[in-house]
Amino acid sequence: NGLSSRVIVLTCLIWIFVGISGGMTQVGDYLESKIASPINFGIRSKFGMNPKQHSRLKILALDDKAFAYLGAPMPDLKLWGDLLDGIAESKPKLIVIDAMFSNRPSETEQQLKYYFSRLESLGVPIALGSFVNSNSLQFKDPLDMSESWYSIKTYLPDASVFTEGRGVESHIPAFRIREPLVAYGPAKELKPWFNRVGHFQLLQDHKIEPFLRISVDKVLPHITMFAADKVHFENGNLRIDNKRVALDRGGAIEVNFVPTDSWKIKSLVETIRDVRDGYAPAGINQNDIVLILPLYFTGNTDFRPSPFGLMPGGLYLAAMLNSVLSGDWLQPILASEIFTVILIALAGLLIIFLSTAQYWTFIGFTLLATFVLSQILFSVAGLVFPWFHPLLFFTCCSVHLFALKMRANERKVMTLRAALDGAVDPTQLEGILKKPENVNLEPRERVVTLMFIDVVGFSLVAENLLPRIAFDCLKKVLGDMSEIVHKYGGVVDKSLGDGLLCYFGYRFDSDLAVSDHAEHAVRCAIEIQEYNIKQTEEYQRTGQPLFPLRIGINTSSCFLGDLGSDSRIEFTVVGNGVNFAKRLEGACTMNSILVGATTWELVKGIDINQEGVSKKLIRIKHHRELVDAFEYDPLFDRPLLRQEIRDNFRKSANLQRLSERIQIRDQGAIKVSTDNGDATVVNFSGTGISLMMRMPVPKGTCVKISLDSQDGQLAKRLLAAEISDLDAEVRWNYQAPAGFIHGLAFLSVEEEKAEEFISIMCDFAFVGGTNPILNSEEDQDDHKAS
């Protein structure tokens, strides 16, 4: 995929750290409340799946109508007394007032008793709000924390757990201890009637703390907790009316909001009129929960942020009371960190195994599927699935990994272009560079057809040319050959000075096997030779230097892979099959193609003229037995042209001097051993040797020759010149008085080494002249270059 495993793992770990850390900060909570919550509640509302207002929850509001009726923003205590008395007549379970009544009343004690006398006798509890502060405040009355609902023991399943100190914290949710804090509530003159006081503080992230733990053993319940029949702690969980209420890590409740326009809110003016007229307030029944919102008129500044935008703070209480009555609580799934780790790890795996299109398709699918699942869980089951932060950091990590991959691919594209430019067809190269991630440069074993192409005698021809001209000529020849190789789907592995190594049957961008690569290689070789012959004919007419070719082809199992470094790609092929192809090329006749037996079995049915095919036996290094090969001569039906090309090439390459016969002065000075027995050197040239043997050796037979002098120096010098192992082919033989004379053409002595071979041999008492033994017609053409 272009990225190392180390880079992928390190990138994922960085984003896991950032994701987990970011999700636990205030910034994370802020983003959650500003983005995730509005989306969750908005989609649920759009599909009409909001909680319904419980039938026992009655909401009365001092709205614009009531404000106009009273002519004041708040009823006086007398009116409050009449109003609460009238509501209490219906025997509701609890009256909740979204107010504190912390200001000291101007009325006397007797007046207050008169106002609330009936309320006290009816025994309906009234819950008010309070606030806490770390400092003592003048003119404000602290709450009397001696009441049972302020003791933490009240909410434990067994009071002895606290008194004996046995694992108290394991039974209490993760509430922060805010010690020291002082709770302030209604004025002390009103406490006899307003005897249920809780806090109604709101958190910025749309949550409410069910309890404020203001000391080790004291808690201040939320005002809405008084509406429940039973509230207790059990094994670190909060249970309200025996239903588990899930808390976040800070001990807060996710408020199950309802849109403002979904509440049924009755104007307080109607209740006031009923009370003043002596009627029981309409719509309030026994055991109801009555919520009174005193500041619900236009111009009131008590607006708080919510998922539905700004809403009156009293509707927080309405939502909480609705959940208490219905048991419909939101259940947050506290697995944001785990889900973040899973998603980021998934991003790391996807970047490894998928292509770009597949990668982004899967990323998009994961984002969409997770989001849809979270909305279904929220709307249907009330489960708050942590999707925002995990998906945010999953997306960031995915983009980061992709950017790193693109950068790595960009570097890979540049390296691939440098490595493969000229090696493969330009059209195929562009396709490879478009999807560099598909290129696998790991070593692998493949059956391919190898082709060695050699420009015969280039060094000798180049001696008669200016360097620039020689270079341009070679560049054109190699370029023309490369184009034809690419035409047949071959790969130019490397330029071997004045030749090419190519292979067929392998693609860089696919692992699919190519079945007809042997046929492609042979047809390619034929076209290369035919094209080069046409070029040679043109060069003969214009007097330009000639560059005949030899081609060896072999099909074999080889290893292909990158042998370069981190900054350089050097894709090549290695194996015994490569060496054999090179041997075939060295044993091939000029302007011909020598094909190995394996390749020939694969292509012998193709439509080529069999008259141009001849079977040859060649010797391979480290093999004792001769090996079959098949040579195709494109000039088999044009012998005059073949001879003309050879003669002109010999002239342009100055090969005459390499073919001049040099006669042995003392035939015993050179010791000769062959795999057909000992022999005697008669004469030699730069391209061949004549040997006297006891028994005849058939024409076309490959013979391995070892030469040495009586003092052993000849073998050492030939070894130093890298021409000690001489492979030759018997071209002719005839019977002489002392045995059989054989003319052999060298297969392993390159033109560049021919003059050095002559020089070394001459140092061991050779003289020029004509051998008087060799007078036959065959002798006149025994050592011509091939």
Side-chain angles (χ1 to χ4, degrees):
N1 61 65
L3 289 179
S4 67
S5 300
R6 180 180 179 182
V7 171
I8 294 174
V9 171
L10 181 60
T11 303
C12 290
L13 288 177
I14 290 174
W15 279 107
I16 287 174
F17 174 77
V18 173
I20 294 177
S21 301
M24 298 174 65
T25 62
Q26 292 184 350
V27 174
D29 294 339
Y30 177 81
L31 292 176
E32 190 80 26
S33 64
K34 293 299 181 182
I35 299 177
S37 292
I39 291 176
N40 289 342
F41 285 97
I43 291 177
R44 186 178 74 172
S45 178
K46 184 176 182 63
F47 287 97
M49 303 185 74
N50 294 310
K52 305 302 180 183
Q53 182 173 340
H54 198 276
S55 60
R56 290 173 53 202
L57 176 60
K58 306 301 169 56
I59 305 175
L60 307 176
L62 201 159
D63 55 6
D64 292 338
K65 184 178 180 181
F67 188 11
Y69 178 79
L70 295 176
M74 183 77 82
D76 57 23
L77 287 178
K78 181 178 184 307
L79 181 57
W80 273 116
D82 293 340
L83 183 63
L84 295 175
D85 283 347
I87 296 173
E89 289 286 350
S90 299
K91 297 294 182 179
K93 179 181 179 181
L94 177 71
I95 300 173
V96 180
I97 305 176
D98 183 22
M100 288 190 298
F101 292 90
S102 60
N103 294 328
R104 296 189 182 281
S106 58
E107 290 82 356
T108 63
E109 183 178 351
Q110 289 75 14
Q111 289 175 314
L112 293 174
K113 287 183 178 181
Y114 173 74
Y115 296 158
F116 297 107
S117 58
R118 292 183 58 205
L119 181 64
E120 186 176 3
S121 63
L122 292 172
V124 175
I126 299 174
L128 300 180
S130 66
F131 69 96
V132 294
N133 199 292
S134 58
N135 301 315
S136 297
L137 301 178
Q138 293 183 346
F139 312 114
K140 298 294 181 181
D141 296 323
L143 286 178
D144 180 7
M145 303 301 291
S146 62
E147 297 289 351
S148 61
W149 46 77
Y150 298 130
S151 174
I152 201 168
K153 292 186 291 184
T154 302
Y155 306 99
L156 292 175
D158 183 359
S160 63
V161 170
F162 185 83
T163 57
E164 298 176 9
R166 294 188 288 106
V168 176
E169 298 300 327
S170 64
H171 289 275
I172 301 174
F175 299 137
R176 290 184 299 159
I177 300 178
R178 292 176 168 85
E179 188 177 17
L181 285 179
V182 180
Y184 296 91
K188 61 181 179 180
E189 290 83 357
L190 300 175
K191 287 180 180 179
W193 305 282
F194 299 151
N195 52 5
R196 300 287 195 281
V197 182
H199 80 90
F200 51 12
Q201 294 185 169
L202 307 179
L203 300 180
Q204 292 182 352
D205 51 357
H206 313 153
K207 298 177 182 179
I208 284 177
E209 293 181 276
F211 289 89
L212 295 181
R213 193 175 179 187
I214 59 177
S215 67
V216 175
D217 60 341
K218 297 295 183 181
V219 292
L220 183 62
H222 191 264
I223 188 174
T224 55
M225 295 296 102
F226 295 112
D229 293 328
K230 182 180 180 181
V231 179
H232 68 284
F233 306 141
E234 183 178 311
N235 297 324
N237 297 313
L238 171 64
R239 304 189 71 87
I240 299 178
D241 291 338
N242 292 319
K243 185 176 181 66
R244 181 179 177 273
V245 179
L247 307 177
D248 68 6
R249 292 182 176 85
I253 293 176
E254 297 266 3
V255 179
N256 199 355
F257 288 99
V258 178
T260 303
D261 56 3
S262 297
W263 292 111
K264 297 177 182 178
I265 301 176
K266 185 177 181 180
S267 177
L268 194 61
V269 69
E270 299 177 18
T271 304
I272 294 174
R273 285 173 176 171
D274 288 341
V275 170
R276 286 180 171 177
D277 294 340
Y279 300 108
I284 299 176
N285 304 310
Q286 185 175 356
N287 211 33
D288 283 348
I289 302 294
V290 180
L291 172 62
I292 301 176
L293 307 177
L295 303 174
Y296 201 73
F297 48 83
T298 303
N300 173 32
T301 58
D302 184 29
F303 279 83
R304 301 299 177 90
S306 77
F308 296 105
L310 292 175
M311 67 166 47
L315 295 186
Y316 273 76
L317 301 182
M320 286 291 293
L321 290 171
N322 198 58
S323 294
V324 170
L325 291 172
S326 63
D328 190 6
W329 299 97
L330 294 180
Q331 303 291 327
I333 301 175
L334 304 180
S336 178
E337 293 81 4
I338 296 175
F339 194 50
T340 298
V341 172
I342 292 174
L343 284 181
I344 291 178
L346 177 63
L349 292 175
L350 295 180
I351 202 71
I352 295 175
F353 297 107
L354 301 184
S355 65
T356 298
Q358 294 171 333
Y359 177 75
W360 284 115
T361 299
F362 209 99
I363 293 296
F365 173 79
T366 302
L367 292 171
L368 180 62
T370 303
F371 178 75
V372 171
L373 176 63
S374 68
Q375 298 310 307
I376 293 174
L377 293 175
F378 183 81
S379 300
V380 176
L383 296 175
V384 185
F385 190 77
W387 61 269
F388 177 72
H389 283 101
L391 292 188
L392 173 64
F393 294 109
F394 170 64
T395 303
C396 292
C397 181
S398 300
V399 172
H400 189 185
L401 287 172
F402 182 73
L404 292 175
K405 180 179 180 179
M406 289 299 98
R407 177 56 182 160
N409 282 346
E410 182 181 348
R411 292 194 298 267
K412 187 175 183 180
V413 166
M414 295 173 62
T415 308
L416 283 173
R417 184 181 294 278
L420 301 182
D421 190 15
V424 298
D425 179 68
T427 303
Q428 183 185 357
L429 177 59
E430 291 304 317
I432 291 173
L433 297 181
K434 287 181 180 178
K435 296 182 178 180
E437 66 275 9
N438 292 342
V439 178
N440 188 349
L441 301 177
E442 294 298 320
R444 61 187 64 193
E445 187 176 7
R446 289 287 187 272
V447 175
V448 295
T449 298
L450 302 129
M451 177 192 293
F452 269 97
I453 308 173
D454 180 57
V455 180
V456 180
F458 175 77
S459 299
L460 297 173
V461 175
E463 290 180 2
N464 302 315
L465 301 174
L466 293 173
R468 178 68 183 182
I469 295 176
F471 182 85
D472 289 343
C473 290
L474 179 61
K475 182 177 180 181
K476 183 180 187 310
V477 172
L478 297 181
D480 292 341
M481 290 191 295
S482 297
E483 287 186 9
I484 299 174
V485 171
H486 295 159
K487 174 182 174 181
Y488 286 88
V491 178
V492 179
D493 181 271
K494 61 183 66 174
S495 175
L496 305 173
D498 55 359
L500 294 177
L501 166 59
C502 314
Y503 51 89
F504 297 76
Y506 182 86
R507 292 184 62 89
F508 289 94
D509 54 355
S510 173
D511 285 334
L512 297 178
V514 180
S515 59
D516 53 356
H517 50 83
E519 179 180 345
H520 287 175
V522 171
R523 293 191 182 280
C524 174
I526 293 173
E527 183 168 335
I528 287 174
Q529 287 290 26
E530 292 288 358
Y531 176 80
N532 191 66
I533 290 170
K534 290 181 181 179
Q535 291 293 102
T536 300
E537 290 183 89
E538 176 66 26
Y539 291 162
Q540 288 184 131
R541 288 192 295 269
T542 59
Q544 299 182 60
L546 306 183
F547 299 101
L549 305 176
R550 289 195 301 254
I551 301 178
I553 299 176
N554 177 47
T555 301
S556 175
S557 178
C558 301
F559 289 96
L560 299 98
D562 179 20
L563 294 179
S565 61
D566 293 339
S567 59
R568 180 176 59 89
I569 293 176
E570 186 179 346
F571 196 89
T572 190
V573 56
V574 295
N576 291 330
V578 181
N579 300 329
F580 185 42
K582 177 61 178 174
R583 294 287 177 176
L584 289 170
E585 175 266 308
C588 181
T589 305
M590 185 173 67
N591 293 318
S592 297
I593 304 163
L594 191 58
V595 180
T598 303
T599 307
W600 184 251
E601 284 297 317
L602 297 173
V603 302
K604 62 183 180 181
I606 65 174
D607 53 343
I608 61 174
N609 197 323
Q610 297 298 317
E611 293 182 14
V613 179
S614 61
K615 185 175 180 180
K616 297 184 67 174
L617 294 174
I618 64 172
R619 182 174 299 281
I620 301 298
K621 189 176 182 180
H622 305 309
H623 288 72
R624 296 183 59 86
E625 301 294 331
L626 297 178
V627 178
D628 290 342
F630 297 85
E631 186 172 73
Y632 176 73
D633 180 9
L635 295 170
F636 74 93
D637 55 350
R638 292 168 284 179
L640 295 179
L641 177 59
R642 177 174 62 236
Q643 188 62 44
E644 181 184 354
I645 292 174
R646 289 188 177 184
D647 291 343
N648 289 332
F649 169 68
R650 290 165 65 84
K651 291 178 182 179
S652 64
N654 292 323
L655 291 180
Q656 293 88 342
R657 68 181 187 273
L658 300 181
S659 300
E660 294 176 354
R661 296 304 181 80
I662 301 175
Q663 180 178 328
I664 295 292
R665 177 175 21 178
D666 180 4
Q667 294 186 355
I670 300 297
K671 295 190 300 182
V672 183
S673 60
T674 73
D675 46 6
N676 288 279
D678 294 337
T680 302
V681 178
V682 178
N683 59 36
F684 69 93
S685 69
T687 58
I689 192 168
S690 296
L691 299 178
M692 173 78 75
M693 298 184 184
R694 293 181 181 179
M695 299 298 294
V697 178
K699 293 180 182 180
T701 301
C702 289
V703 178
K704 192 172 189 64
I705 304 171
S706 295
L707 302 175
D708 199 0
S709 59
Q710 296 298 330
D711 59 2
Q713 292 302 310
L714 175 59
K716 292 182 179 180
R717 291 189 60 182
L718 290 175
L719 178 62
E722 298 181 354
I723 50 177
S724 57
D725 293 330
L726 298 173
D727 291 324
E729 179 183 353
V730 177
R731 295 295 176 87
W732 52 263
N733 61 63
Y734 66 89
Q735 187 172 4
F740 291 87
I741 304 298
H742 297 76
L744 296 95
F746 290 140
L747 300 177
S748 58
V749 179
E750 300 176 354
E751 286 84 353
E752 294 83 351
K753 297 284 187 179
E755 290 191 0
E756 189 173 1
F757 173 74
I758 294 174
S759 175
I760 294 173
M761 294 289 283
C762 287
D763 287 343
F764 290 85
F766 288 86
V767 296
T770 303
N771 188 345
I773 300 177
L774 304 177
N775 293 317
S776 68
E777 182 179 349
E778 291 91 341
D779 181 55
Q780 304 304 316
D781 192 38
D782 60 347
H783 299 158
K784 289 182 179 179
S786 60

